[in-house]
Amino acid sequence: MTVAGQNLKDQIRKLVELQVIDEEIFRFKRELREKPAEFEALKVEFESKKVKLKGLEDKLKSIQVVMKELELDLKVKEEGIARADASLSLLKTNKEYQARLLEIENLKADKSIVEEKILLGYDEVDAARKSLETEKATVLQYEKEFNAKKKQVDDDVAVIGDRLKVKESQRTHIAPQVRPDCLSRYERVLKNKDGLGIVKVVDHTCGGCFMHLTEQVLNELKKYEQIISCDMCARILYLADDL
Ligand SMILES: [Zn+2]
């Protein structure tokens, strides 16, 4: 092999070394991008439970407002009855007396309708309180699950971030050892091909896209006169047994 050939072989060896690191860098970066999605579904559910809880709180409040109005109404009606009762002794004729008695009966009937509404209202308040308590417990459970998942993801992200830093510093050490023209060609493919810039030839096929390689390509590879790429996927090829 010529000196130039030996030189290219050394370059390819370095690129293979770099590829091992770059594969991990790409994997770590992908994991960092995908990690938040792990708690996204839980977050959406947690938020929707909170909205439901708010709805139940509002419902209870509005029932309580109606109850207050009914209680006020009841008080007014009781006062009216008391006034009418007190006025009975002041009436002079039997006709007036009978008319007032009828009025009092009507007032009492009105009052019992309000009382009935209040009783039903108590049941409504009870039911609304119960639903609210149940939903509160559910929200608490979701909050716990969400926080636990979020913490786990945050911890994972920190660990992956550390590993990524280590790999990036290893890369910074090795990359300058590769000839700039070889490096830029490799990095171009690396970027376009999801972190796989240089691939092994396996059984006459490209290790990246598995296209069958011609004898001519294999012969070219053995010469180490120039960098050889796969015609199909453009990844740089190398013969593992040769290195
Ligand atoms: Zn290929």
Side-chain angles (χ1 to χ4, degrees):
M1 195 180 295
T2 62
V3 176
Q6 186 56 49
N7 184 291
L8 186 63
K9 202 173 186 175
D10 287 341
Q11 293 300 309
I12 290 194
R13 224 179 251 135
K14 285 282 169 204
L15 284 181
V16 170
E17 208 179 319
L18 205 55
Q19 176 65 76
V20 173
I21 295 167
D22 280 334
E23 244 181 283
E24 294 202 83
I25 288 177
F26 263 75
R27 183 162 58 85
F28 291 150
K29 282 186 176 170
R30 194 185 58 239
E31 284 176 5
L32 287 178
R33 274 197 309 276
E34 291 170 354
K35 272 284 160 191
E38 287 181 16
F39 61 74
E40 205 43 54
L42 264 179
K43 190 180 173 188
V44 168
E45 271 184 86
F46 176 42
E47 293 299 331
S48 83
K49 296 284 169 198
K50 278 201 282 191
V51 169
K52 192 178 170 195
L53 181 66
K54 176 79 175 54
L56 290 175
E57 277 168 352
D58 290 347
K59 191 183 168 192
L60 178 62
K61 265 183 211 157
S62 72
I63 296 172
Q64 282 168 334
V65 167
V66 171
M67 286 294 277
K68 266 215 177 103
E69 284 166 0
L70 285 172
E71 275 158 8
L72 207 68
D73 193 19
L74 182 66
K75 207 176 157 220
V76 169
K77 290 205 161 41
E78 279 170 346
E79 283 166 2
I81 291 167
R83 263 199 313 277
D85 269 338
S87 71
L88 277 176
S89 59
L90 303 172
L91 299 173
K92 293 187 176 76
T93 67
N94 185 46
K95 201 182 162 198
E96 280 175 326
Y97 190 80
Q98 292 305 325
R100 186 59 52 90
L101 276 185
L102 188 64
E103 200 185 306
I104 291 172
E105 280 315 303
N106 285 338
L107 284 171
K108 281 184 177 168
D110 281 354
K111 183 191 147 194
S112 69
I113 289 172
V114 176
E115 279 174 334
E116 226 164 276
K117 279 186 186 167
I118 289 176
L119 281 179
L120 288 174
Y122 282 141
D123 289 345
E124 264 190 83
V125 168
D126 275 351
R129 277 215 180 100
K130 236 173 240 166
S131 309
L132 190 62
E133 288 314 308
T134 309
E135 197 55 29
K136 261 186 195 163
T138 308
V139 167
L140 208 66
Q141 186 58 34
Y142 268 88
E143 189 171 21
K144 262 191 210 160
E145 272 179 48
F146 170 72
N147 286 340
K149 187 73 199 173
K150 173 97 169 49
K151 187 182 179 307
Q152 188 206 317
V153 168
D154 287 346
D155 290 350
D156 288 351
V157 164
V159 170
I160 296 167
D162 279 348
R163 287 182 186 156
L164 177 62
K165 267 188 207 142
V166 171
K167 289 294 154 192
E168 277 174 337
S169 84
Q170 285 176 352
R171 185 179 212 285
T172 314
H173 177 70
I174 294 175
Q177 298 170 25
V178 185
R179 231 164 56 199
D181 60 319
C182 294
L183 185 64
S184 68
R185 181 160 168 181
Y186 160 77
E187 284 180 336
R188 207 166 46 239
V189 187
L190 187 75
K191 196 169 156 238
N192 294 328
K193 296 288 167 183
D194 290 331
L196 206 54
I198 182 164
V199 291
K200 225 191 281 194
V201 172
V202 186
D203 293 336
H204 286 57
T205 61
C206 162
C209 69
F210 306 106
M211 191 188 72
H212 184 79
L213 303 167
T214 61
E215 281 302 324
Q216 195 199 336
V217 170
L218 293 173
N219 286 333
E220 288 295 322
L221 272 166
K222 284 174 193 157
K223 283 189 206 160
Y224 292 95
E225 282 173 357
Q226 54 179 328
I227 287 181
I228 307 291
S229 299
C230 168
D231 283 341
M232 184 69 96
C233 70
R235 293 185 178 99
I236 298 169
L237 298 168
Y238 73 93
L239 297 165
D241 294 343
D242 242 18
L243 295 184

